[in-house]
Amino acid sequence: MVAAIPDFYTPVSQLPEEFKTVQAAFETDKTLSLEWRKEQLRQVWKMLDENESRFHEALYQDIRKPKVETEAFEIIGIKNEIIHTLENLDEWAKPSTVDVFDEFKVNQPRVYKQPKGAVLILGTWNYPVDLTIDPLISVISAGNTAVIKPSEMTPATSKLLTELIPKYLDSDCYRVVNGGVPQSTELLTYHWAHILYTGGAKVARIVMAAASKHLIPVTLELGGKTPAIVTANANIDIAAKRIAWAKTWNLGQTCMTTDYVLVHESVQEQFVAALVKYVKAFYENAGVDGMSCLINDMHYHRIADMLDATKGKIVFGGRKDAAKRFVEPTVILNPALDDSTLAAEIFGPLLPVVSFKTFPEARKVINQIDPTPLGLYVMTEDNSEAEYFFTHIRSGGAAINDPMSQLAVPSVPFGGFGESGIGSYRGKAGFETFSHLKSAVTTFTDPASEKAIEWRYALGDREEKYHAMKAATEIPLN
């Protein structure tokens, strides 16, 4: 029996027209105006502000996301990002000067920030507002148009975005389409100016392969196994409390959350006791119905199978409820490095805890599990310990003493490295990601300027011109 196609999906036959619409809108040059871009950004802010309760309802319907989680990570963060962008856009968009040798300053080297064109945004389900709209802010600020495809796994939120975006934004410049694999596959055949995809590495490779046919630049926001490292110099109670929060937030379905913990053996017992205390308290206070659920049955069974297969010691949690797509926040002690919970990104409420003796040993473990995680959290009161890991682990982002806190700061670049992603957005980094940085120089036509480059012309004594060229262009080593 063939499953019915949801009625809000965009017919594949309509997608070429959606692409042509945003391409044609870009060619009108309306997006070149900074005031026009600012007005679009203000409209996004108003869309979120005036429909706050509707976003809460949609996200609860899709993933049972609690109100405070929705407001903090889906609404307020975007609104603050918009305010920061509005305050800085004029400066970002100015042609910038380039620091060059004195001999070349006469050429007035500068860099223009030019919009790229029509952009494709492929959103995701775990933060279906933030991870769809946040990159759109960067796209708008840089003067591009876009087709936005929200995740098909969060239909209530996707329907709401489909309804609201045309009401608040220029409907020729910003189009929303919906669907699953057929729609995504079709969209990836078009010659976009840039593609942004948020999701897993498997699909990212498909996106990148499709983009390569037209040499389209891509930004890939992925995930990986982000470690939290608890040193002997950590505030153990605070470290446990904050790690427990990060892992229970959205039931662990956050790309930047702590995937596993490495704790120094001298404080492991103390840390695990505190961790269990807080995980238990957070869970019991919220209850099953006060926490997010796993996104769908397939994801539930993936987490349940991972839990069933672990050989580590379960010190808290472990119960499952298939009907509610819920797995208890579960602390797993000392699994082997080839354990089910350490073999792949968990993206759920399981938290393995592994001990280490030395920093080089911890570094070796991280590199064996995932050498380029999206995040890296060092829990310590000694900044030199954090700097050791920041220097030696090639993570997308990092924080000291507070997992995921780098996401709370407006306009800090968000992006991965290696298996955790390519490129970044938010703030100035996002503006530049979706801009072509065009270098330009000026060479004047006055007699002195012409004399300075006379050596280039195939006239006169060539040996003499060779020495003139060396004297005019080569910078000596001091």
Side-chain angles (χ1 to χ4, degrees):
M1 183 176 177
V2 179
I5 298 174
D7 59 5
F8 71 100
Y9 277 19
T10 306
V12 171
S13 60
Q14 183 181 321
L15 297 178
E17 189 60 33
E18 301 289 343
F19 173 63
K20 291 176 184 176
T21 297
V22 295
Q23 267 202 325
F26 180 77
E27 295 299 331
T28 67
D29 290 341
K30 70 169 71 175
T31 68
L32 293 178
S33 165
L34 294 185
E35 288 308 312
W36 183 90
R37 300 182 204 178
K38 290 176 185 177
E39 182 56 27
Q40 297 300 302
L41 293 171
R42 293 187 192 100
Q43 287 297 107
V44 177
W45 195 97
K46 290 177 182 177
M47 178 183 77
L48 296 170
D49 190 66
E50 293 172 3
N51 298 278
E52 181 180 292
S53 62
R54 296 188 68 191
F55 280 111
H56 288 172
E57 291 165 5
L59 285 157
Y60 189 83
Q61 183 177 334
D62 282 330
I63 196 170
R64 210 168 61 222
K65 188 169 287 194
K67 187 175 182 179
V68 68
E69 294 187 18
T70 292
E71 193 64 21
F73 271 37
E74 301 271 19
I75 306 295
I76 290 178
I78 303 176
K79 291 168 76 174
N80 290 346
E81 182 75 15
I82 291 169
I83 298 300
H84 186 269
T85 301
L86 289 170
E87 291 176 350
N88 290 278
L89 183 56
D90 287 340
E91 188 64 31
W92 296 344
K94 288 179 183 177
S96 56
T97 58
V98 182
D99 187 17
V100 296
F101 294 115
D102 289 343
E103 291 83 349
F104 296 98
K105 288 181 180 178
V106 66
N107 297 110
Q108 301 176 350
R110 65 269 187 201
V111 177
Y112 293 96
K113 290 64 178 281
Q114 187 172 38
K116 287 185 173 181
V119 175
L120 174 63
I121 298 174
L122 298 172
T124 193
W125 56 264
N126 59 325
Y127 291 89
V129 179
D130 179 71
L131 294 179
T132 304
I133 301 301
D134 221 351
L136 179 62
I137 294 168
S138 295
V139 168
I140 293 172
S141 71
N144 302 288
T145 59
V147 166
I148 304 128
K149 183 195 168 296
S151 173
E152 67 272 24
M153 294 189 194
T154 49
T157 305
S158 296
K159 289 178 184 178
L160 185 57
L161 290 171
T162 303
E163 173 196 337
L164 295 178
I165 286 176
K167 290 182 178 179
Y168 284 84
L169 299 184
D170 186 307
S171 59
D172 289 329
C173 292
Y174 305 106
R175 310 284 292 179
V176 183
V177 301
N178 287 284
V181 172
Q183 284 79 5
S184 295
T185 302
E186 174 68 17
L187 289 168
L188 289 172
T189 66
Y190 305 153
H191 194 163
W192 302 96
H194 198 111
I195 297 173
L196 180 137
Y197 165 76
T198 304
K202 181 179 178 181
V203 175
R205 286 177 166 83
I206 296 171
V207 171
M208 201 167 183
S212 70
K213 294 176 183 177
H214 295 296
L215 299 180
I216 300 170
V218 297
T219 301
L220 306 176
E221 300 302 343
L222 311 178
K225 295 190 72 65
T226 291
I229 302 147
V230 181
T231 79
N233 291 311
N235 181 321
I236 299 301
D237 191 72
I238 290 293
K241 186 178 185 180
R242 293 177 180 176
I243 290 171
W245 163 77
K247 195 59 175 180
T248 54
W249 191 266
N250 204 29
L251 205 63
Q253 298 168 111
T254 305
C255 56
M256 294 291 290
T257 195
T258 301
D259 194 88
Y260 65 101
V261 179
L262 290 172
V263 57
H264 192 270
E265 61 179 8
S266 66
V267 294
Q268 182 183 27
E269 184 176 345
Q270 180 186 356
F271 171 76
V272 170
L275 180 66
V276 169
K277 175 183 71 175
Y278 284 114
V279 170
K280 183 174 186 287
F282 295 163
Y283 171 45
E284 290 182 349
N285 183 66
V288 173
D289 293 329
M291 302 181 78
S292 295
C293 61
L294 296 168
I295 185 63
N296 56 30
D297 290 338
M298 182 178 71
H299 190 48
Y300 166 81
H301 288 297
R302 189 184 71 83
I303 297 297
D305 290 347
M306 189 181 292
L307 177 58
D308 291 341
T310 185
K311 299 297 191 295
K313 180 182 179 182
I314 296 175
V315 294
F316 180 79
R319 289 181 292 185
K320 306 183 289 284
D321 186 336
K324 292 189 173 183
R325 301 199 311 270
F326 188 82
V327 173
E328 281 185 325
T330 302
V331 179
I332 302 167
L333 188 59
N334 289 329
L337 295 188
D338 62 353
D339 189 75
S340 60
T341 59
L342 294 176
E345 183 179 11
I346 295 170
F347 223 68
L350 313 182
L351 185 57
V353 179
V354 179
S355 65
F356 70 91
K357 294 181 180 180
T358 67
F359 286 0
E361 177 192 348
R363 176 185 173 188
K364 183 178 179 181
V365 169
I366 293 169
N367 284 330
Q368 181 175 338
I369 292 174
D370 181 353
T372 56
L374 187 56
L376 172 68
Y377 308 123
V378 185
M379 318 301 280
T380 180
E381 298 299 299
D382 183 345
N383 280 353
S384 68
E385 294 182 333
E387 290 300 326
Y388 173 87
F389 288 103
F390 287 5
T391 300
H392 291 97
I393 302 300
R394 298 170 296 163
S395 64
I400 300 173
N401 286 330
D402 194 10
M404 305 199 295
S405 59
Q406 70 272 37
L407 297 177
V409 182
S411 293
V412 170
F414 170 54
F417 176 77
E419 288 288 315
S420 62
I422 296 173
S424 61
Y425 63 89
R426 298 179 83 211
K428 186 178 181 181
F431 174 84
E432 293 187 346
T433 288
F434 294 104
S435 298
H436 170 57
L437 305 184
K438 178 185 290 185
S439 299
V441 298
T442 298
T443 303
F444 295 100
T445 59
D446 61 281
S449 298
E450 181 65 7
K451 184 178 179 180
I453 60 173
E454 182 66 30
W455 59 264
R456 299 187 310 188
Y457 306 128
L459 299 169
D461 185 283
R462 301 302 294 157
E463 185 67 18
E464 182 181 325
K465 291 205 168 190
Y466 168 78
H467 291 293
M469 178 271 292
K470 290 270 287 183
T473 62
E474 186 174 65
I475 308 299
L477 177 66
N478 295 322

